[in-house]
Amino acid sequence: MKVIVPVKRVIDYNVKARVKPDQSGVDLANVKMSMNPFDEIAVEEAIRMKETGTVTEIIAVSIGPQQAQETIRTALAMGADRGILVKTDETVEPLAVAKILKAIVEQEKPELVMLGKQAIDDDCNQTGQMLAALLDWPQGTFASEVKFTDGKLQVTREIDGGLQTIEINMPAVVTTDLRLNEPRYASLPNIMKAKKKPIDMKSPEDYEVDITPRLNVLKVTEPAKREAGVKVESAAELVKKLREEAGVI
Amino acid sequence: MSMIVDRRNVDFLLYEVFDTQKILSAPIYQNFDRDAVTAILDMAQAIAEDKYFSCSADIDVNEPRFVDGGVLVPSVIKDALAAYAEAGFFAATFSEEWGGMQLPWHIYVQISNLFTCANTSINSYAFLTVANANVINTFGSDAQQALYLPPMLEGRWFGTMCLSEPQAGSSLADIKTKAEPTEDDYYRITGTKMWISGGDQDISENIIHLVLARIPGGPPGVKGISLFIVPKIRVESGRSLGELNNVGLSGLIHKMGNRGTTNTILNFGEGGECRGYLIGEPHKGLQYMFHMMNEARIAVGQGSVMSAQAGYLYSLDYARQRPQGRLPGEKEPSSPQVTIIEHADVKRMLMAQKAYVEGGAALIAYCAQLIDQEKLVTDSTEKKRLALLLEILTPVAKSWPSEFCLEANKLAIQVLGGYGYTREYPVERFYRDNRLNLIHEGTHAIHGIDLLGRKVRMQGGAALSVFLEEISKSVEDGAGYESIAPFASTLQNTITNLIEASEAVLAEDSLRRQLANATIYLDAFGHVVIAWMWLLQSIAATEGLSGNDVVDAHFYEGKLKACRFFFTYELPKTKAQFDLVASLDDTCLNAEATHFIGV
């Protein structure tokens, strides 16, 4: 089976994000960027499925600036077979990404699209669901375990209060959660091999998708600083405070 | 920000100060380009942060233990080195014949920086193995290479270097370990080696010791020392592991820092026959070992820069967050406190750390690319020049960081104040780790003597001349920039002091008096080298600022500030030092043992 794994170039998870002084967004100048960690998990899962013989080809897709090619190369160095870069310097919202991915799916005809449940930069958690809707495919979101048997996928989902296992028909969209696997590091030889793997260069126009943002960002601010706590004398006082001051019980 | 690296500075050194592109354009490195190097550094940084940095405090407390005659090493150390092996770093710089990637050395040094800064004591195991394999690759027979290199470069067997003995540390001429010939292809090794890093551990399947020993009947002193491969476990045909080779572990040495690296006393041949295999010819062992030692010396400097970088990045981050006090003149008690980075003296301490760390990092990067250039040039005169330049810079690359990057660690503790002195914060550990570097691979004093007693006068002063030619080129370049010209001129004057001091020493008849202040000379000489590195960086930063890209303006301005700091606060100190050396002052030389406490 052929798998498409969309990978997003995001601010590295180790970087402490700073808001631009004009509150228009996060300052990305001179900031280390890397693959969205949830997408790394998706790449890893696809590679494992290839190693067990379920998957025959893995295509890593990224939508973003020229540098997103490096993110695709990371996926190729981990073990993906080829890449597609849809190049744009504009802001692409989840809906636009889903529309482009839909067009790619129609061309490539994979049986599975596997992607991170969300990206750690905007935390939208929308692309996979929107793509499934646009394609009218089944979706298995927040996967912590994926099994392929008899042409169907068993997806264990991390939900509030526990795990839910569902069976979905193929083709399907699966979004990956943190506990699905621990992604491998690329190795030096594989980084060098990845340089020779092909990456198709495309643009949103190639897929006739209008990526104009539908949302207006009013302002971006840093989270409020955490204030010092107070010590309570007794459990009764704690309950009182939780009820009267915090209003949570 | 990352706590182990400033990647912008790495790119600055590789692509703006020094010419990596030129080295990468050589046919043997054609597979590498900037994108590939970036991807490799990204991968290395991820492993360094996830597997090395994360356990650095833990292995300082839970260090390897001596149990039942063997060593138990914490599993986190094994996991980290397994990831390093899996990524292909043991073989990285070796040729494809050995499963390597032929990675340029200066790129490998940047990779090692990441692992060293993240966790210097884990990286030592890998460093020693690669350096050991380099010796076998250079001087070992074809059979020895075929036997030992593959498992070492896969990271399954580790390596050590065994030079010192309990009675002979700095003085290698006095080593006693014996190697008696047998009728077979091996020598029988007996003796005790001390301070052996990685001398025993339960991480790798086997340990390959490189041991200096005397073959009976050979010349006395360093001219009678030979080099042997001594496996911990005997290697049978087909590389299967046989019986233990009687390398006994007497115990672990309990160190101030660098605690993840075992340090051992080893008894060779105590419990039975210990087999050693001669490398190359008899009595040339020290010459072969110097191949490893020179590499190790630059790596010691590198380790020192990296321990200082760890402290610098930590204290910088702390200073930007810690509110304390108000600026002079602010008398309103209810006014908000400032973060401590606003205080002038904290800025001074951070600027000094920056100047030491980034100056040292530039020197290490420069030496590393000289090694690649030396390999690439075909013109024999140029090859010889580069070799001479490396000869004279090696004691400086080892020693200057050991002294002044340790100073940076002191300042990192100071920035944190009382917290810095506690074990809840890592800066005291970085200091302890770094303190080793003044001592091993030749103490600070040994390198002073090496520089002033050997390197400066070797081949009729040829190495010094090459060094002066290179630095003069940079002075000329710097003079072409209005803002840098004053620094170029200051450096020129300092070079004059350096030459005068060197000449005064060489004109003295007594060798003892010549070398009495060699350490002072070493420190001052090192300052000149680092001032040179800052001149080169300020030229690159000025070029960077003249471009249209304003994104990096703060970075470049910071470089110019640090350059100015070094030339204003640090370089003037060398005047007094060179004057002292030139005066051949004998205060210390002629002090008697009884002068200290009167008896």
Side-chain angles (χ1 to χ4, degrees):
Chain A
M1 118 179 41
K2 194 195 262 190
V3 180
I4 283 184
V5 184
V7 290
K8 186 176 185 185
R9 180 176 183 266
V10 297
I11 187 167
D12 187 83
Y13 73 100
N14 268 320
V15 172
K16 200 164 145 191
R18 288 182 207 270
V19 171
K20 287 185 195 169
D22 66 359
Q23 298 192 327
S24 64
V26 171
D27 191 355
L28 295 180
N30 267 336
V31 162
K32 182 165 185 267
M33 306 291 280
S34 50
M35 189 191 299
N36 175 35
F38 291 109
D39 295 342
E40 255 184 334
I41 292 169
V43 175
E44 176 65 33
E45 195 63 19
I47 295 168
R48 290 186 187 188
M49 289 172 80
K50 195 179 170 192
E51 285 168 348
T52 56
T54 312
V55 163
T56 50
E57 189 185 24
I58 303 166
I59 307 166
V61 176
S62 195
I63 300 158
Q66 182 62 37
Q67 296 93 317
Q69 187 182 318
E70 294 160 20
T71 310
I72 294 177
R73 289 264 178 236
T74 305
L76 298 178
M78 287 172 72
D81 296 289
R82 62 187 170 94
I84 300 171
L85 172 63
V86 183
K87 198 185 150 212
T88 172
D89 291 320
E90 304 302 318
T91 304
V92 258
E93 291 173 353
L95 182 59
V97 173
K99 284 178 180 172
I100 293 172
L101 290 176
K102 173 174 184 262
I104 294 174
V105 165
E106 281 164 356
Q107 277 182 7
E108 294 285 347
K109 307 207 175 346
E111 281 158 273
L112 179 61
V113 176
M114 182 127 66
L115 68 166
K117 68 168 181 175
Q118 66 195 64
I120 61 163
D121 52 358
D122 56 21
D123 275 345
C124 279
N125 182 2
Q126 294 166 355
T127 304
Q129 295 88 330
M130 285 176 167
L131 175 63
L134 290 172
L135 288 166
D136 199 19
W137 282 10
Q139 55 178 304
T141 51
F142 317 129
S144 67
E145 196 180 352
V146 178
K147 276 192 214 153
F148 178 74
T149 35
D150 303 331
K152 292 184 177 193
L153 279 182
Q154 255 191 25
V155 179
T156 303
R157 309 177 62 236
E158 298 206 358
I159 56 170
D160 287 348
L163 298 171
Q164 176 193 47
T165 304
I166 58 169
E167 187 172 83
I168 53 176
N169 292 324
M170 308 283 282
V173 173
V174 169
T175 73
T176 54
D177 213 323
L178 199 62
R179 278 156 287 268
L180 179 59
N181 60 49
E182 193 182 329
R184 70 194 65 194
Y185 301 106
S187 72
L188 187 48
N190 287 340
I191 287 173
M192 299 312 289
K193 277 182 207 148
K195 282 170 59 70
K196 299 195 174 89
K197 292 181 180 177
I199 297 179
D200 277 348
M201 296 297 180
K202 299 285 188 183
S203 68
E205 294 76 41
D206 291 337
Y207 299 105
E208 296 175 349
V209 173
D210 174 13
I211 60 164
T212 313
R214 266 54 167 181
L215 305 172
N216 269 332
V217 174
L218 301 179
K219 69 173 177 179
V220 175
T221 55
E222 295 200 6
K225 287 236 163 38
R226 194 171 158 220
E227 308 230 331
V230 289
K231 278 190 181 168
V232 291
E233 295 294 330
S234 63
E237 192 191 345
L238 175 65
V239 170
K240 186 165 181 269
K241 277 188 182 291
L242 287 174
R243 182 171 292 140
E244 291 173 9
E245 290 177 29
V248 291
I249 53 172
Chain B
M1 69 189 234
S2 168
M3 283 293 139
I4 64 165
V5 64
D6 172 7
R7 285 287 295 275
R8 180 66 188 86
N9 193 44
V10 174
D11 285 348
F12 179 68
L13 291 174
L14 289 178
Y15 304 105
E16 297 176 69
V17 181
F18 304 120
D19 200 352
T20 288
Q21 301 285 17
K22 192 177 159 202
I23 294 174
L24 295 186
S25 68
I28 62 163
Y29 298 137
Q30 61 176 345
N31 289 334
F32 297 97
D33 54 20
R34 185 168 176 164
D35 284 348
V37 169
T38 302
I40 294 166
L41 287 169
D42 283 348
M43 180 265 282
Q45 186 180 340
I47 298 176
E49 282 170 347
D50 296 350
K51 302 279 182 183
Y52 281 60
F53 188 66
S54 56
C55 65
S56 55
D58 180 45
I59 62 170
D60 184 59
V61 179
N62 302 306
E63 58 187 316
R65 288 180 300 131
F66 182 53
V67 180
D68 297 334
V71 184
L72 291 181
V73 174
S75 63
V76 283
I77 296 182
K78 297 173 191 170
D79 294 346
L81 287 159
Y84 188 90
E86 186 79 8
F89 285 128
F90 280 98
T93 57
F94 286 76
S95 64
E96 285 174 20
E97 181 192 355
W98 300 117
M101 298 304 295
Q102 202 137 300
L103 187 70
W105 184 255
H106 77 287
I107 302 294
Y108 181 68
V109 163
Q110 292 301 328
I111 292 166
S112 301
N113 277 350
L114 297 166
F115 291 105
T116 313
C117 192
N119 195 323
T120 183
S121 69
I122 294 185
N123 193 57
S124 298
Y125 294 103
F127 166 76
L128 285 163
T129 302
V130 173
N132 179 312
N134 269 329
V135 171
I136 296 176
N137 192 33
T138 311
F139 303 108
S141 66
D142 288 351
Q144 286 170 340
Q145 291 177 14
L147 188 60
Y148 298 108
L149 289 184
M152 292 181 82
L153 298 182
E154 285 164 22
R156 293 192 291 114
W157 297 2
F158 285 2
T160 73
M161 53 196 293
C162 305
L163 285 74
S164 294
E165 297 177 4
Q167 83 295 347
S170 294
S171 179
L172 277 177
D174 295 310
I175 66 160
K176 288 181 185 160
T177 296
K178 238 186 340 188
E180 292 165 293
T182 65
E183 288 175 0
D184 291 302
D185 62 342
Y186 61 85
Y187 287 67
R188 198 175 290 120
I189 310 287
T190 47
T192 302
K193 293 286 177 182
M194 192 167 175
W195 312 113
I196 309 309
S197 289
D200 205 357
Q201 34 81 5
D202 60 347
I203 311 167
S204 62
E205 297 164 24
N206 200 359
I207 303 175
I208 305 305
H209 303 287
L210 286 182
V211 179
L212 290 182
R214 293 185 180 285
I215 300 172
V222 293
K223 289 185 178 145
I225 297 176
S226 306
L227 182 61
F228 296 87
I229 295 173
V230 182
K232 173 185 175 179
I233 305 172
R234 288 184 191 153
V235 184
E236 309 291 346
S237 62
R239 218 181 280 125
S240 67
L241 297 181
E243 293 174 29
L244 286 171
N245 193 26
N246 295 301
V247 181
L249 175 66
S250 295
L252 292 179
I253 295 164
H254 301 104
K255 293 171 294 173
M256 174 179 178
N258 260 290
R259 293 183 177 177
T261 314
T262 56
N263 195 271
T264 56
I265 304 168
L266 299 177
N267 284 330
F268 292 85
E270 191 187 54
E273 186 172 73
C274 174
R275 299 176 178 177
Y277 302 86
L278 181 71
I279 290 187
E281 295 172 34
H283 315 314
K284 291 202 171 160
L286 201 57
Q287 186 186 323
Y288 304 145
M289 199 53 137
F290 259 108
H291 188 268
M292 185 168 181
M293 280 155 72
N294 278 334
E295 204 173 295
R297 285 173 170 177
I298 295 176
V300 166
Q302 173 187 21
S304 191
V305 176
M306 286 304 122
S307 286
Q309 180 169 293
Y312 168 50
L313 293 175
Y314 193 93
S315 62
L316 172 62
D317 188 57
Y318 182 89
R320 293 173 83 155
Q321 295 185 41
R322 165 81 174 165
Q324 197 71 195
R326 292 161 188 84
L327 297 180
E330 174 59 68
K331 297 211 173 63
E332 176 54 52
S334 63
S335 65
Q337 299 196 77
V338 296
T339 48
I340 60 171
I341 201 166
E342 298 301 321
H343 296 300
D345 196 58
V346 173
K347 292 186 208 198
R348 176 190 65 81
M349 292 191 282
L350 290 168
M351 192 58 81
Q353 289 184 66
K354 180 179 170 72
Y356 296 146
V357 169
E358 293 177 7
L363 176 59
I364 299 300
Y366 180 68
C367 289
Q369 58 127 34
L370 285 181
I371 292 171
D372 281 328
Q373 280 180 26
E374 190 193 350
K375 189 166 146 191
L376 291 175
V377 293
T378 46
D379 178 65
S380 63
T381 318
E382 184 58 17
K383 213 182 196 56
K384 200 176 149 216
R385 279 188 89 249
L386 292 169
L388 284 168
L389 193 52
L390 265 169
E391 284 279 1
I392 200 163
L393 288 177
T394 298
V396 178
K398 190 273 176 186
S399 305
W400 190 88
S402 306
E403 177 73 25
F404 294 95
C405 289
L406 183 69
E407 187 68 14
N409 283 114
K410 186 186 98 179
L411 294 172
I413 295 172
Q414 195 68 16
V415 168
L416 270 72
Y419 293 112
Y421 190 65
T422 67
R423 280 174 287 165
E424 321 306 321
Y425 288 82
V427 285
E428 60 85 31
R429 170 162 50 83
F430 300 146
Y431 182 91
R432 286 188 286 110
D433 285 346
N434 204 355
R435 187 60 185 81
L436 171 64
N437 293 313
L438 270 167
I439 300 167
H440 67 161
E441 288 309 323
T443 61
H444 203 54
I446 295 271
H447 289 283
I449 294 167
D450 181 44
L451 180 66
L452 187 55
R454 273 181 356 125
K455 300 296 172 65
V456 160
R457 57 187 92 187
M458 69 190 289
Q459 297 174 29
L464 182 63
S465 299
V466 175
F467 166 70
L468 293 173
E469 279 162 33
E470 290 299 312
I471 202 168
S472 297
K473 274 187 223 162
S474 306
V475 166
E476 255 173 58
D477 289 348
Y481 297 82
E482 202 186 334
S483 58
I484 303 173
F487 300 135
S489 151
T490 304
L491 185 56
Q492 185 59 53
N493 294 338
T494 314
I495 294 169
T496 308
N497 297 338
L498 183 154
I499 295 170
E500 284 168 3
S502 311
E503 286 172 349
V505 168
L506 295 179
E508 162 65 35
D509 293 332
S510 155
L511 185 61
R512 287 183 191 179
R513 193 160 171 179
Q514 279 187 7
L515 298 180
N517 294 311
T519 302
I520 311 291
Y521 181 81
L522 174 69
D523 288 345
F525 194 107
H527 257 50
V528 173
V529 172
I530 298 300
W532 175 28
M533 291 298 123
W534 273 113
L535 192 73
L536 291 173
Q537 293 187 76
S538 70
I539 292 171
T542 306
E543 287 294 332
L545 274 174
S546 70
N548 295 324
D549 187 3
V550 291
V551 175
D552 286 339
H554 291 302
F555 175 82
Y556 292 127
E557 286 160 5
K559 285 286 176 190
L560 297 177
K561 278 255 183 331
C563 177
R564 184 173 154 188
F565 174 88
F566 198 83
F567 274 83
T568 314
Y569 287 65
E570 290 290 326
L571 195 60
K573 294 176 184 171
T574 61
K575 175 79 172 70
Q577 291 170 310
F578 283 129
D579 286 352
L580 176 75
V581 172
S583 76
L584 290 149
D585 187 274
D586 60 0
T587 308
C588 298
L589 179 67
N590 288 336
E592 299 292 339
T594 49
H595 287 156
F596 293 94
I597 55 169
V599 284

